[in-house]
Amino acid sequence: MNKLLVILLALQLVGCATARTLDAAKPGAPVVYSGTRLDLYALNGGCCAMDRFGAEAPSYPGVDLPASALLDTLLLPLSLLTVIGVSFQATGGM
């Protein structure tokens, strides 16, 4: 059971659609639930993920879907603020 969990976690880290779409920052690409939408697009046979989302779909979108949905839900307030045009400058470090 532990080996299966480790394999699933490794697959999640390699191909998280939410992280890929947020890193892409393509103008006009979906922002709200972007990773979940990318996974569903890939599962439904979408041909041009790079053109639409600015990121390639994960190799196993069915495996990635639950984690992307969870992360997209956690990031929903920030993505909604981004859609309505509220920007914030965050800095960190020393």
Side-chain angles (χ1 to χ4, degrees):
M1 181 66 178
N2 288 337
K3 289 181 183 182
L4 179 62
L5 182 62
V6 169
I7 291 170
L8 285 175
L9 287 174
L11 285 173
Q12 292 298 319
L13 294 175
V14 170
C16 183
T18 300
R20 287 181 183 194
T21 56
L22 293 177
D23 284 344
K26 180 181 178 185
V31 176
V32 178
Y33 279 94
S34 60
T36 303
R37 292 166 76 174
L38 175 58
D39 285 335
L40 291 173
Y41 182 77
L43 284 171
N44 289 321
C47 68
C48 311
M50 185 60 88
D51 293 337
R52 186 163 185 185
F53 294 91
E56 289 294 331
S59 301
Y60 302 100
V63 174
D64 183 61
L65 185 62
S68 289
L70 176 64
L71 187 56
D72 282 333
T73 301
L74 292 174
L75 296 175
L76 184 61
L78 295 176
S79 60
L80 290 175
L81 288 173
T82 301
V83 168
I84 63 172
V86 175
S87 64
F88 54 91
Q89 298 296 323
T91 59
M94 298 169 105

